[in-house]
């Protein structure tokens, strides 16, 4: 790729959890390939295992931040609020240090939409800033809609089935009942975060890790609503494949996959923070066993509260048909010819990665925007099955067979493969995401040369 932006620096500020670090580091890699120098600002406790994967990047520490362990104890909303309160001043110090070190070579600060404290430093040092939305465009639309609601009125209105089923802003099939509020704690606090996220302050553009072939309606809506440039330049995992895994990948599962029949395996992962109840895990284990399909199951340490692993008799039964690992090289798994389907919590990265390989999905979202993604997977792109209600073994068995064995699943796979082609075309030369990245680069260079 051509290098045009030699020696101009971009400072990246990721939210320090896996699902946000990954796309930010991929964005950094994509911009680095365009010739920018990249500096990543992270809290002292929240280091990415960086140097071996990102040799050209500089990493700096925001001293006063909140350790990632508090994400679990506080919950996402309170964690984000605390992180933003704590980090504003120390990030200013961090930028002041960088300016002393490098002179005025910082062209832009790109920060995760949840790291909105960054804007104060950008404003103080008159550095252009750009917001990075690592989730879907539709989720960002929802944030805009939610930020305008009156909490008391909404809580009453949403009890009415007519309101629940009303389509939001002509964005079919998005309905009011789908607004991603569940599992986010008290609505009032969550809406405060939505207001912070949609308040662009002095930021001059928004980057979104999506492609117009997936979310054209939501993107058009956002372009009108936000009144600043919007760059849908994803999926970044196709443009830049650098890995920034915080956990060690167990590659033995690839050897196990090599021994399985084509498109026979169901891959199961609930992302980097999801938890499952023991009862649900046991029903899943039996349902998977009864489906007669081989399965590759990621069970992260700590993801089943109260038990470190499956009970022995279940482990034995599971090991007859399946392979269990603590953390998998997910992109390599999804590209493997043995994989026929993905049982996912529908985090946005997993959703993009699955579509990017044409793999249909069983959707079992936990909360927030994962439910939104699941609705799009099932009803808009029609590449998956949404499992609702309590998980029981019969339902698991049926879902796996529908996806992997039945005609219905073949249709989903065909549509997923069509989307895969569209996604790949969008990041190739002349595609919409490719052009959006180029426009972003031009924009940053122009802002810098005018400063
Ligand atoms: C979080 C939120 O929960 C999610 O809803 C939001 O969209 C992004 O931030 P997370 O739950 O971890 O993310 O899910 P997801 O977005 O799917 O990201 C997980 C990442 O971990 C993916 O990039 C996936 O490839 C990677 N992963 C997961 C592995 O590399 N190995 C694994 O075994 C499991």
């Amino acid at each position: 790729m051509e290098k045009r932006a030699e020696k101009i620096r971009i400072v990246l500020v990721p939210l320090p959890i896996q699902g946000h670090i990954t796309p930010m580091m991929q964005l950094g890699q994509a911009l680095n390939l365009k010739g920018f120098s990249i500096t990543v600002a992270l809290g002292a406790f929240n280091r990415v295992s960086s140097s071996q994967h990102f040799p050209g990047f500089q990493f700096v520490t925001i001293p006063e931040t909140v350790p990632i362990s508090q994400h679990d104890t506080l919950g996402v909303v309170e964690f984000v609020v605390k992180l933003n309160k704590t980090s504003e001043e120390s990030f200013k110090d961090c930028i002041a240090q960088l300016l002393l070190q490098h002179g005025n070579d910082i062209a832009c600060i790109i920060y995760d939409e949840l790291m909105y404290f960054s804007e104060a430093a950008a404003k103080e040092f008159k550095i252009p800033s750009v917001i990075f939305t690592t989730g879907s465009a539709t989720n960002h639309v929802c944030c805009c809609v939610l930020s305008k609601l009156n909490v008391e009125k909404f809580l009453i209105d949403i009890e009415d089935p007519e309101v629940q089923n009303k389509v939001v802003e002509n964005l079919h099939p998005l309905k009011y009942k789908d607004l991603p509020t569940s599992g986010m704690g008290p609505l009032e606090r969550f809406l405060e975060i939505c207001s912070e996220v949609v308040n662009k302050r002095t930021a001059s553009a928004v980057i979104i890790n999506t492609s117009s072939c997936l979310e054209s309606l939501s993107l058009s809506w956002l372009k009108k609503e936000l009144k600043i440039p919007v760059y849908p330049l994803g999926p970044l995992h196709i443009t830049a494949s650098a890995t920034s895994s915080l956990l060690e990948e167990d590659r033995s599962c690839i050897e196990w996959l090599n021994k399985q029949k084509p498109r026979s395996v169901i891959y199961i992962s609930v992302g980097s923070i999801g938890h499952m109840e023991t009862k649900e895990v046991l029903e899943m284990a039996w349902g998977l066993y009864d489906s007669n399909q081989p399965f590759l199951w990621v069970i992260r340490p700590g993801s089943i509260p109260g038990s470190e692993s499956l009970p022995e008799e279940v482990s034995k039964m599971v090991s007859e048909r399946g392979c269990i690992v603590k953390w998998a090289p997910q992109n390599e798994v999804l590209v493997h010819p043995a994989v026929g389907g993905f049982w996912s919590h529908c985090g946005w990265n997993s959703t993009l990665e699955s579509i990017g390989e044409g793999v249909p999905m069983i959707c079992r979202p936990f909360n927030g925007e994962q439910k939104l993604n699941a609705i799009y997977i099932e009803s808009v792109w029609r590449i998956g099955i949404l499992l609702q209600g309590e998980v029981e073994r019969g339902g698991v068995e049926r879902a796996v067979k529908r996806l992997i064995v039945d005609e219905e699943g073949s249709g989903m796979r065909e549509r997923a493969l069509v989307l895969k082609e569209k996604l790949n075309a969008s990041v190739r030369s002349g595609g919409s995401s490719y052009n959006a990245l180029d426009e972003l680069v031009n924009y940053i260079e122009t802002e810098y040369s005018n400063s």
Side-chain angles (χ1 to χ4, degrees):
M1 208 176 283
E2 65 192 305
K3 293 199 171 195
R4 307 181 312 210
E6 216 64 62
K7 296 218 171 68
I8 307 180
R9 183 168 304 279
I10 294 178
V11 176
L12 303 179
V13 191
L15 179 75
I17 63 174
Q18 184 74 70
H20 290 245
I21 285 183
T22 298
M24 183 65 92
M25 298 307 285
Q26 288 163 346
L27 176 66
Q29 199 194 19
L31 292 168
N32 188 233
L33 288 169
K34 295 281 187 187
F36 292 98
S37 300
I38 301 294
T39 295
V40 184
L42 277 166
F45 309 97
N46 305 324
R47 314 283 318 164
V48 185
S49 54
S50 49
S51 29
Q52 80 262 36
H53 300 308
F54 303 97
F57 287 21
Q58 178 191 21
F59 287 81
V60 292
T61 303
I62 310 171
E64 301 270 325
T65 49
V66 182
I68 188 62
S69 53
Q70 292 197 15
H71 182 272
D72 272 2
T73 46
L74 295 173
V76 61
V77 170
E78 296 309 323
F79 175 72
V80 166
V81 169
K82 190 169 172 190
L83 191 58
N84 276 280
K85 270 200 190 130
T86 319
S87 311
E88 188 170 310
E89 287 310 312
S90 50
F91 183 59
K92 282 186 190 167
D93 295 344
C94 201
I95 293 293
Q97 281 296 323
L98 278 172
L99 289 170
L100 273 179
Q101 245 175 47
H102 296 288
N104 284 337
D105 73 344
I106 304 179
C108 185
I109 297 174
I110 300 180
Y111 61 91
D112 187 296
E113 64 182 7
L114 292 174
M115 303 293 268
Y116 45 84
F117 67 82
S118 313
E119 195 58 49
K123 189 173 175 203
E124 181 159 324
F125 296 103
K126 299 193 173 50
I127 301 170
S129 62
V130 172
I131 296 169
F132 182 26
T133 291
T134 61
S136 70
T138 309
N139 185 45
H140 203 77
V141 168
C142 292
C143 270
C144 294
V145 171
L146 284 165
S147 69
K148 291 178 192 159
L149 291 176
N150 173 303
V151 183
E152 284 83 33
K153 186 171 175 321
F154 178 67
L155 284 172
I156 297 166
D157 289 351
I158 200 66
E159 295 297 319
D160 176 353
E162 218 174 282
V163 176
Q164 288 172 8
N165 288 309
K166 210 172 130 195
V167 172
V168 178
E169 305 275 343
N170 290 328
L171 293 167
H172 180 78
L174 181 67
K175 302 197 177 108
Y176 274 88
K177 67 176 179 197
D178 303 326
L179 287 172
T181 55
S182 77
M184 304 310 285
L187 185 65
E188 201 157 3
R189 289 295 271 172
F190 179 54
L191 297 200
E192 280 170 32
I193 296 268
C194 290
S195 303
E196 297 287 4
V197 164
V198 302
N199 177 357
K200 303 297 178 240
R201 300 173 177 87
T202 51
S204 45
V206 177
I207 300 167
I208 308 184
N209 189 21
T210 191
S211 166
S212 54
C213 69
L214 292 179
E215 300 189 276
S216 61
L217 216 55
S218 299
L219 282 166
S220 305
W221 189 93
L222 282 176
K223 282 176 186 171
K224 273 196 215 127
E225 171 79 14
L226 298 182
K227 299 183 183 76
I228 51 176
V230 174
Y231 299 109
L233 46 63
L236 281 159
H237 77 277
I238 305 182
T239 313
S241 55
T243 167
S244 50
S245 204
L246 300 176
L247 295 171
E248 197 183 331
E249 294 169 345
D250 182 345
R251 300 189 43 79
S252 66
C253 60
I254 302 294
E255 284 154 42
W256 179 86
L257 281 174
N258 289 341
K259 296 186 196 119
Q260 310 305 319
K261 292 192 189 130
R263 293 183 184 177
S264 64
V265 173
I266 178 97
Y267 166 61
I268 305 145
S269 158
V270 298
S272 64
I273 42 187
H275 294 111
M276 294 178 74
E277 297 299 322
T278 310
K279 186 166 167 266
E280 182 164 337
V281 172
L282 293 183
E283 287 300 311
M284 272 179 72
W286 281 110
L288 289 165
Y289 183 81
D290 292 342
S291 77
N292 275 326
Q293 292 304 128
F295 54 88
L296 168 57
W297 196 348
V298 177
I299 302 189
R300 247 180 31 249
S303 63
I304 312 173
S307 61
E308 265 315 291
S309 55
L310 295 173
E312 208 183 316
E313 77 277 13
V314 182
S315 274
K316 196 160 163 276
M317 171 268 287
V318 158
S319 64
E320 278 176 38
R321 299 232 166 93
C323 170
I324 296 183
V325 291
K326 292 184 174 151
W327 192 249
Q330 182 158 302
N331 287 312
E332 270 182 77
V333 167
L334 289 170
V335 80
H336 198 287
V339 171
F342 183 7
W343 173 302
S344 172
H345 72 308
C346 306
W348 185 240
N349 296 289
S350 293
T351 303
L352 289 176
E353 288 159 8
S354 202
I355 301 175
E357 297 308 334
V359 177
M361 301 167 84
I362 293 176
C363 307
R364 182 70 186 162
F366 293 111
N367 52 36
E369 40 87 46
Q370 297 162 8
K371 291 193 174 165
L372 202 60
N373 301 337
I375 289 168
Y376 273 66
I377 291 166
E378 188 184 61
S379 309
V380 177
W381 306 314
R382 300 194 299 124
I383 55 164
I385 299 164
L386 172 56
L387 278 191
Q388 305 207 61
E390 216 165 289
V391 167
E392 46 80 33
R393 61 192 74 186
V396 173
E397 180 190 346
R398 274 191 301 284
V400 172
K401 285 185 172 156
R402 276 174 69 195
L403 196 76
I404 308 272
V405 184
D406 294 354
E407 276 292 302
E408 189 189 1
S410 310
M412 291 178 198
R413 175 171 277 273
E414 270 168 34
R415 287 188 286 277
L417 286 168
V418 171
L419 269 186
K420 169 188 169 163
E421 283 316 310
K422 288 188 180 168
L423 275 192
N424 278 291
S426 76
V427 299
R428 276 199 297 269
S429 176
S432 60
S433 296
Y434 181 95
N435 291 341
L437 178 60
D438 254 6
E439 283 163 27
L440 172 70
V441 168
N442 282 333
Y443 178 76
I444 295 174
E445 285 174 344
T446 311
E447 289 276 299
Y448 185 66
S449 50
N450 290 342
S451 66

